[in-house]
Amino acid sequence: MTSAAHLSRFDLTGRVALVTGAGRGLGFEIARALAEAGAHVWLNGRHAELLDKRAANLKAEGLSADPAPFDVTNHETAAEWFASAKRAPDILVNNATLRDRRPTSELAPEDVDRLVAVNATAAYALTRLAIPGMKRAGGGSVVNVTSIAGPLAGGGDPGYTLAKGALAALTRSHAVEFAPHGIRVNAIAPGFFATEANEAWVDDRAVGDYLAMRSPMRRWGRPAEIGAAAVFLCAPGASYVTGHVLTVDGGMSVKM
Ligand SMILES: NC(=O)c1ccc[n+]([C@@H]2O[C@H](COP(=O)([O-])OP(=O)(O)OC[C@H]3O[C@@H](n4cnc5c(N)ncnc54)[C@H](OP(=O)(O)O)[C@@H]3O)[C@@H](O)[C@H]2O)c1
């Protein structure tokens, strides 16, 4: 096999991706990787100016990107975006997140509802909006960004664990429902990544010591290390992969 034929398994030329929460962190890195593989990427988030800048950054690198500012929990504006999008996505990455690390005694049921709305219900709603376009395109790919804090519980972080567990369950359900339409639904479960959201932790020596003890690779994940996992799950090379949660955590979740 030639190297070009080999690379075609990871080629996303002609594909259109919507990545939620793509203004920073892992969402931006996933968007960049999908664009580098040839896709046009829509960068979603709630801050239009930031998304304009991020899209301009990618365009300056010769990549194809546009901003898609809307709140993923506002089902009306999300539906309007899908109805008006010049290029309908056949790749959807549900990456936007809300985190609230309070324990059960301090976390009201309404707070849990908010966590579920961003981390799980929005993924359900956006997938529902994306499916008709994917069917018209003859297939598509959904990637839900879950977390190792779904199957694994740290204790004292119940709302996020509940929401990410729900997103993993949704991944399985949608994988089965949409497989007959050529639409694959998978998830990526990151471990500890050094994103802006974790800035204070990255600088915290105690967390560094914990990772050195708990993680086989003994370090934080670098945000750029997430992108290739998303490219694989969306690419022709993963044509028989659906309902899978791809863990990217430096081996943390398999260590006793
Ligand atoms: N970093 C880690 O160590 C880690 C570990 C496990 C799992 N994860 C998962 O990986 C994903 C990315 O993590 P990250 O660290 O890059 O997160 P992050 O820096 O907190 O980014 C979250 C993104 O979501 C967007 N967002 C939040 N609410 C939104 C809403 N209602 N509508 C649209 N966009 C919204 C934010 O943009 P705006 O505020 O501009 O809207 C932001 O860009 C998340 O799903 C997270 O749960 C991360």
Side-chain angles (χ1 to χ4, degrees), residues 24 26 46-47 71-72 95 97 147 160 164 191 193 195 198:
R24 68 179 206 172
L26 302 187
R46 289 166 300 177
H47 297 97
D71 183 330
V72 295
N95 165 82
T97 194
S147 174
Y160 184 75
K164 289 299 191 182
F193 273 81
T195 57
N198 287 334

Side-chain angles (χ1 to χ4, degrees), residues 20-28 44-47 50-51 70-74 94-99 101 118-119 145-149 160 164 167 188-198 220:
T20 69
R24 68 179 206 172
L26 302 187
F28 180 69
N44 164 264
R46 289 166 300 177
H47 297 97
L50 173 67
L51 299 174
F70 63 88
D71 183 330
V72 295
T73 63
N74 184 329
N94 289 306
N95 165 82
T97 194
L98 174 67
R99 185 128 206 193
R101 290 194 170 95
V118 181
N119 286 290
V145 181
T146 60
S147 174
I148 57 168
Y160 184 75
K164 289 299 191 182
L167 186 57
I188 296 174
F192 280 51
F193 273 81
T195 57
E196 290 101 311
N198 287 334
W220 285 90

Side-chain angles (χ1 to χ4, degrees), residues 54-215:
R54 291 310 215 169
N57 293 150
L58 294 183
K59 281 181 182 159
E61 293 174 28
L63 304 173
S64 181
D66 277 310
F70 63 88
D71 183 330
V72 295
T73 63
N74 184 329
H75 305 316
E76 208 172 305
T77 52
E80 282 165 14
W81 184 84
F82 272 88
S84 67
K86 283 188 209 106
R87 302 177 70 182
D90 61 356
I91 292 173
L92 169 65
V93 181
N94 289 306
N95 165 82
T97 194
L98 174 67
R99 185 128 206 193
D100 186 334
R101 290 194 170 95
R102 285 178 293 166
T104 301
S105 58
E106 293 169 26
L107 197 69
E110 296 75 21
D111 299 321
V112 175
D113 285 346
R114 273 191 288 279
L115 286 164
V116 172
V118 181
N119 286 290
T121 312
Y124 174 84
L126 295 185
T127 301
R128 196 163 177 266
L129 288 167
I131 290 296
M134 291 183 182
K135 284 183 180 169
R136 279 196 301 278
S141 187
V142 178
V143 176
N144 295 322
V145 181
T146 60
S147 174
I148 57 168
L152 300 179
D157 193 8
Y160 184 75
T161 304
L162 181 160
K164 289 299 191 182
L167 186 57
L170 177 67
T171 303
R172 293 190 290 275
S173 181
H174 274 171
V176 174
E177 183 173 353
F178 298 122
H181 303 284
I183 297 164
R184 296 180 299 100
V185 184
N186 291 290
I188 296 174
F192 280 51
F193 273 81
T195 57
E196 290 101 311
N198 287 334
E199 236 161 35
W201 275 22
V202 174
D203 294 336
D204 186 333
R205 200 186 166 136
V207 179
D209 290 346
Y210 169 76
L211 272 184
M213 183 266 296
R214 188 66 189 76
S215 164

